[in-house]
Amino acid sequence: MVIEVRNLAVARGGVTVLHGLGFSVRPGQALVLRGPNGSGKTTLLRTLGGLQPPVAGEIDLNPEAVAYAAHADGLKSTLTVAENLIFWSEIYGGPAIDRAVTAMDLAKLTRRRAGELSAGQKRRLGLARLLVTGRPLWLLDEPTVSLDVASVALFAGVVRDHLAAGGAALIATHVDLGLPEARIFDLDPYRTRILARDGFDEAFT
């Protein structure tokens, strides 16, 4: 088992948004999180990634197994594409960058500074970081934002290869990535119904 969650509750802005969550993901599996904006997808992924504590429940997961790709691409704008990937590979103690460069079609951009890239190119570089972490569990929060159709297909192939190699993924997305092996996990039944709002920050969805 790569991750197992039991009776988990998570909060945003001090208010519990999801409760009673339970699921598991094995090597080679992907779990696609579904729910409307504000349902708690980002909050759940942040909690699983160790960026915030759970309200209740258990997460059986080796934190050293996780690579998290959030809305921000996590790039250093003054470094080149190659330098960004080398930096992350050294941080994680992961593999060389060649495979990541090829997989996300970045070969012609390796000497360009990240700050000079288009939004789609930055996203491809941000996602290429996953391949230099060497970590089996990918937590992906709307990974296809800013990607064109060809790049979405490219990334879907990267995810399929990751699963075929025994990796696993939790993906919050409304886009069909063409992963027939993926299971859909609907968050709606686990949402806490809030009758009165007090102005808490809903920046995280």
Side-chain angles (χ1 to χ4, degrees):
M1 200 75 66
V2 179
I3 181 173
E4 185 169 5
V5 168
R6 294 179 291 274
N7 200 30
L8 184 67
V10 301
R12 178 180 65 237
V15 176
T16 299
V17 292
L18 294 169
H19 68 283
L21 290 162
F23 58 82
S24 62
V25 181
R26 297 178 180 276
Q29 290 185 335
L31 192 67
V32 176
L33 306 177
R34 289 283 167 81
N37 290 338
S39 60
K41 298 186 295 294
T42 293
T43 302
L44 173 58
L45 289 174
R46 285 174 55 83
T47 304
L48 297 177
L51 299 178
Q52 63 183 68
V55 174
E58 299 179 5
I59 303 171
D60 189 358
L61 166 68
N62 177 3
E64 297 299 315
V66 176
Y68 178 43
H71 292 158
D73 292 317
L75 306 178
K76 295 185 176 295
S77 61
T78 59
L79 298 184
T80 66
V81 166
E83 288 168 343
N84 266 281
L85 290 175
I86 291 170
F87 171 81
W88 286 108
S89 177
E90 291 177 348
I91 288 290
Y92 282 97
I97 71 170
D98 296 2
R99 177 171 170 258
V101 167
T102 301
M104 293 308 298
D105 193 23
L106 296 168
K108 296 180 180 179
L109 301 172
T110 53
R111 297 183 180 180
R112 188 176 300 181
R113 290 183 179 180
E116 300 170 351
L117 301 177
S118 69
Q121 290 168 340
K122 287 179 180 176
R123 193 59 171 167
R124 281 193 279 131
L125 175 55
L127 294 171
R129 291 185 304 129
L130 295 165
L131 292 164
V132 300
T133 65
R135 297 197 165 186
L137 178 61
W138 292 356
L139 304 179
L140 309 175
D141 195 354
E142 300 293 349
T144 60
V145 170
S146 300
L147 295 184
D148 58 22
V149 173
S151 296
V152 170
L154 197 68
F155 178 64
V158 167
V159 176
R160 283 195 295 271
D161 289 345
H162 179 64
L163 300 179
L170 267 75
I171 313 170
T173 182
H174 297 287
V175 175
D176 183 3
L177 294 176
L179 302 172
E181 62 274 70
R183 293 180 291 135
I184 304 298
F185 190 74
D186 185 3
L187 295 181
D188 192 63
Y190 305 94
R191 294 174 65 189
T192 301
R193 309 301 173 178
I194 302 170
L195 299 178
R197 300 187 183 274
D198 57 6
F200 64 89
D201 184 3
E202 291 197 29
F204 295 117
T205 58

